[in-house]
Amino acid sequence: MVLALATGVALAQTDFRYISYQEGLEAAKAEGKLLFVDFYTEWCGPCKMMAREVFPQKEVGDYMNAKFVCLKIDAEKDEGVELAERYAVDAYPTFVIIGADEKEVGRLVGSSEAAAFIAEVDRMVDPEKSPERLRERYAGGERTAELVEAYAALLMSEAQAGRRWDTAKTEEAHRVVADYFRGLSDVDRLKEENVFIYTQYAESPSDELTRFLVEHRDAFPEEVQEELAERIAELYEQCIVGWFAGYEPFDAKAYGQAKQDIDLLGLNADGHYDVLYRFIECHAAGDLEAYLKLCEKKYKGLSESLKQNLMMGLPTLLDTDDQAVLKRASRFIRNQLKDMDLSLLSFIVMALQPIEEKIKVD
């Protein structure tokens, strides 16, 4: 922090101030801002996730620091107990936006990713981004980057609002962004205001958004190239892990293109994809006995996350009635129990049950 101050470098993270609620109100009035209160508890996992992964991000910090005086208040300690009762907080985290008159402007409950969090907060404090107004503006033909980003984010938020994910709303959001993208010139597609297209709505290495991003990666403004490079790497990793774990149906043409791209982009310089390639290609060859032999040989060398993904995917990857394969798979899974990390237990149980249900008892 001292170095940052000395060199004039601004800290990107959200500036939570360690002052009382009343001091926060007074600061908000003096600075012409709203008060943002993060009600948390020490035992709350999603609270820790937001503190660790969302609030430190530059885009979140830039947005929050410009509009709010931000406080963190433990709802189970000191003044937090009374404040949590006053604002009817009964789930964590709860984020409450408060005006100068101490009336609630809006609230969010639960964790979310950075882009979704900003969009939700913005809709609460900007009348032009209320759900009704966004729909009016979009129906009226407005197609600015700001409007399209906010409207698509609203649709995504609505998709997640019910007990079940609304796939129709998700598809509508992606369609809104794709239509906007297709209406842009290549020059406009490269503008910083349109980076949300790629960071939030590119889904796989084969879709048109990702293809444009990869092919023009060096033409984007320098300020966003690091963020976009991280997104490219993330998209290819999701793709390869999807085939490795059987989450996505194997497509030989798409797989060949992905491998070629990964090599071109230097994403496998350390060779960490090599073992995943072996699993994918062995399974694609169709010899499940050979595939299980590879599992037995290479499983212990996988990272914990890859072990989880493999275990969760085995019932799909071993979708067969071949009794010899099923029994070998059962032995392989059970053999991991003796020196298994406890965090893997649920994944192993989920893999074992559907496989053993197919085994015929002699």
Side-chain angles (χ1 to χ4, degrees):
M1 183 177 292
V2 172
L3 179 61
L5 292 172
T7 58
V9 177
L11 296 176
Q13 66 184 19
T14 305
D15 178 21
F16 283 98
R17 307 188 195 185
Y18 295 94
I19 54 180
S20 69
Y21 170 77
Q22 192 59 44
E23 290 170 329
L25 276 177
E26 292 169 1
K29 291 176 185 177
E31 297 172 29
K33 298 178 179 179
L34 295 167
L35 183 65
F36 176 91
V37 180
D38 173 358
F39 284 100
Y40 73 98
T41 65
E42 291 184 353
W43 48 263
C44 168
C47 301
K48 294 175 183 176
M49 187 282 285
M50 292 293 291
R52 182 180 65 249
E53 299 179 16
V54 175
F55 289 121
Q57 292 192 33
K58 183 179 186 306
E59 62 176 324
V60 178
D62 288 346
Y63 175 83
M64 297 297 292
N65 298 339
K67 293 182 178 291
F68 304 102
V69 168
C70 301
L71 304 182
K72 277 185 176 292
I73 293 180
D74 188 329
E76 297 181 338
K77 289 183 179 179
D78 303 323
E79 68 172 346
V81 177
E82 185 274 325
L83 289 169
E85 183 176 352
R86 185 193 308 182
Y87 287 103
V89 174
D90 57 10
Y92 306 101
T94 292
F95 308 107
V96 182
I97 300 169
I98 301 166
D101 55 3
E102 293 193 66
K103 290 184 179 179
E104 181 177 324
V105 174
R107 73 170 55 202
L108 288 80
V109 179
S111 60
S112 61
E113 295 183 353
F117 174 79
I118 293 174
E120 284 285 339
V121 172
D122 210 32
R123 283 197 293 275
M124 293 177 185
V125 301
D126 186 346
E128 281 297 297
K129 292 181 180 176
S130 68
E132 298 77 15
R133 186 68 183 118
L134 286 175
R135 290 188 175 89
E136 288 176 3
R137 291 168 65 189
Y138 189 80
E142 183 178 339
R143 294 297 183 271
T144 61
E146 181 187 40
L147 182 277
V148 171
E149 181 177 9
Y151 183 54
L154 170 64
L155 294 171
M156 290 297 291
S157 175
E158 291 175 343
Q160 302 172 52
R163 291 187 176 181
R164 293 184 178 180
W165 192 287
D166 189 335
T167 55
K169 285 283 187 183
T170 303
E171 290 170 1
E172 184 181 357
H174 281 271
R175 186 167 57 251
V176 164
V177 174
D179 288 346
Y180 171 67
F181 172 82
R182 291 169 190 148
L184 296 174
S185 67
D186 281 359
V187 172
D188 287 334
R189 289 173 177 178
L190 295 168
K191 289 181 177 178
E192 188 170 354
E193 66 185 19
N194 288 317
V195 165
F196 78 92
I197 295 174
Y198 316 102
T199 58
Q200 298 174 46
Y201 297 96
E203 294 185 286
S204 78
S206 60
D207 69 35
E208 63 179 325
L209 305 182
T210 306
R211 296 316 308 164
F212 181 86
L213 171 59
V214 170
E215 291 165 10
H216 298 81
R217 60 193 180 280
D218 296 328
F220 283 89
E222 185 176 348
E223 296 78 12
V224 299
Q225 286 196 12
E226 182 178 353
E227 178 184 8
L228 292 175
E230 290 175 356
R231 181 57 178 157
I232 289 171
E234 182 181 61
L235 285 165
Y236 280 94
E237 181 175 6
Q238 290 173 353
C239 178
I240 295 299
V241 171
W243 284 318
F244 162 77
Y247 302 148
E248 296 294 333
F250 180 74
D251 182 316
K253 183 178 179 181
Y255 174 69
Q257 181 66 61
K259 279 189 71 175
Q260 181 178 320
D261 290 348
I262 286 170
D263 185 54
L264 175 67
L265 295 165
L267 298 177
N268 194 36
D270 60 358
H272 73 281
Y273 279 127
D274 291 347
V275 68
L276 300 185
Y277 292 159
R278 286 190 63 186
F279 273 89
I280 293 167
E281 291 166 15
C282 183
H283 186 271
D287 186 342
L288 294 183
E289 287 282 359
Y291 176 73
L292 278 169
K293 185 177 181 180
L294 180 64
C295 290
E296 293 161 355
K297 183 178 180 181
K298 295 293 184 181
Y299 177 81
K300 291 189 184 301
L302 298 175
S303 68
E304 292 303 301
S305 63
L306 288 177
K307 286 177 180 177
Q308 292 176 11
N309 280 296
L310 181 61
M311 283 296 175
M312 290 178 68
L314 279 178
T316 300
L317 292 163
L318 300 175
D319 184 15
T320 180
D321 291 319
D322 186 318
Q323 293 297 296
V325 169
L326 293 170
K327 289 176 181 178
R328 185 169 182 172
S330 174
R331 288 194 301 272
F332 162 68
I333 296 170
R334 286 183 174 275
N335 282 341
Q336 311 316 315
L337 293 171
K338 59 182 181 294
D339 54 1
M340 170 197 67
D341 187 293
L342 288 177
S343 64
L344 286 172
L345 179 60
S346 62
F347 298 100
I348 287 182
V349 170
M350 285 190 289
L352 193 60
Q353 183 177 354
I355 288 172
E356 293 195 340
E357 284 176 350
K358 291 184 177 181
I359 296 176
K360 297 176 181 177
V361 179
D362 296 329

